[in-house]
Amino acid sequence: MFDGYTSSELMSIFAMQGFAGLSLFSVFVLMALGLAIIFGQMGVINMAHGEFMILGAYTTYLTSGFFQSYLPSLFGGYFFVAMVLAFLICAALGAFVEWLMIRRLYHRPLDTLLATWGLSLIMQQAYRSIFGAREVGVDLPEWMMGAIQVTDLVELPINGLFVMIIALSIAVGVYFLMYRSGYGKKVRAVVQNRPMAEAVGINSAGIDRATFALGCGIAGVAGAAFTMIGSTGPSSGQAYIVDTFLVVVFGGAQSLIGTIVSAFGISQAQSTMEFFLSGSMAKVLTLLVVVGILMLRPEGLMALKVRR
């Protein structure tokens, strides 16, 4: 596998693939954080999570076009506006979906899986009808173009670095929200013991709605970040939903720290092996390793003790 490479070339290859893995890690983290919040607290298997990501990506695409046409002097800062809009639109739609459909299906996980899968198909078809079947992309601001030269063989794209900063910022924000705020205490109380939380006056239904909206909003931010490193199509979210569920289950469904650790390990493994093997073989080997570890530790890397 390593024949024909000098030690310096191998180091450069691993460095480049490691950075590519960090870009993938950023998308995994943003997708998996929202999914972990929803699945960990509510037990809802949201198969439409990838479509919420794509809604955020299309929101960024429309915002980019608006700034290009009507506010060209402010184009350099459009992404920050797009990121806020993506969060608000996806969170609002998530709250509406929870009120309309999800709240009627609690304690019926297979029904939520089928219902959200149907929702994902509806959203995909809506995207095709509105934006067409072809993939679209956004124009990057000038300050986001180019790369930082680390060595003669290693370059770090600025847009990839920016996506990583966004992912880490969101992860830190979610940590403080869940572990250092009154809302987070209520969420953790509902997760650990829902009947007792309701007995002391916590509105679990309201917490569920806010949590589902938060998870969908974070998926929207993931979509906005995704436009910085790839193009967007109606079914682009399906390429990430399986990996995202794998990240959440491997890390521990109710552990944010476990989700981050899992996302880092899986993204780095896939990115490094894809250079030496085919992409499909890299995924297969990664999946086999994850399945083997889950056989030894079914609760995931970091499990939260929950009272039922």
Side-chain angles (χ1 to χ4, degrees), residues 61-271:
Y61 168 71
L62 293 176
T63 304
S64 170
F66 177 83
F67 271 75
Q68 277 185 320
S69 301
Y70 301 103
L71 297 171
S73 61
L74 300 177
F75 183 75
Y78 86 86
F79 181 75
F80 299 100
V81 177
M83 192 164 53
V84 173
L85 288 176
F87 177 85
L88 293 177
I89 291 172
C90 291
L93 180 60
F96 176 73
V97 168
E98 196 280 339
W99 172 81
L100 182 67
M101 181 173 64
I102 301 299
R103 67 189 176 103
R104 309 173 193 277
L105 301 174
Y106 290 136
H107 310 299
R108 295 156 60 185
L110 291 180
D111 289 346
T112 61
L113 186 151
L114 291 174
T116 55
W117 179 63
L119 176 63
S120 73
L121 297 179
I122 292 172
M123 294 177 72
Q124 286 181 43
Q125 189 56 49
Y127 297 152
R128 288 190 183 93
S129 300
I130 297 172
F131 299 100
R134 300 180 64 180
E135 294 188 346
V136 298
V138 301
D139 293 326
L140 298 179
E142 289 187 10
W143 62 270
M144 221 182 269
M145 302 176 74
I148 298 175
Q149 191 79 31
V150 179
T151 67
D152 292 338
L153 297 175
V154 179
E155 292 183 345
L156 304 182
I158 294 175
N159 60 330
L161 287 171
F162 185 69
V163 170
M164 284 194 304
I165 292 172
I166 293 172
L168 292 176
S169 300
I170 295 294
V172 171
V174 169
Y175 171 80
F176 278 100
L177 179 65
M178 300 302 291
Y179 294 99
R180 294 292 186 270
S181 70
Y183 167 78
K185 290 179 181 178
K186 293 178 181 178
V187 170
R188 285 182 287 124
V190 172
V191 170
Q192 293 180 9
N193 195 325
R194 182 179 291 264
M196 186 60 69
E198 293 175 344
V200 299
I202 295 176
N203 181 5
S204 62
I207 292 294
D208 286 339
R209 187 161 304 153
T211 301
F212 195 85
L214 175 64
C216 293
I218 294 175
V221 175
F226 177 73
T227 62
M228 300 293 104
I229 57 177
S231 56
T232 302
S235 58
S236 297
Q238 293 298 308
Y240 289 91
I241 189 64
V242 174
D243 287 332
T244 304
F245 270 110
L246 185 66
V247 166
V248 172
V249 173
F250 184 50
Q254 293 158 337
S255 172
L256 294 181
I257 303 300
T259 297
I260 295 172
V261 173
S262 172
F264 180 81
I266 290 175
S267 61
Q268 288 296 323
Q270 283 191 12
S271 178

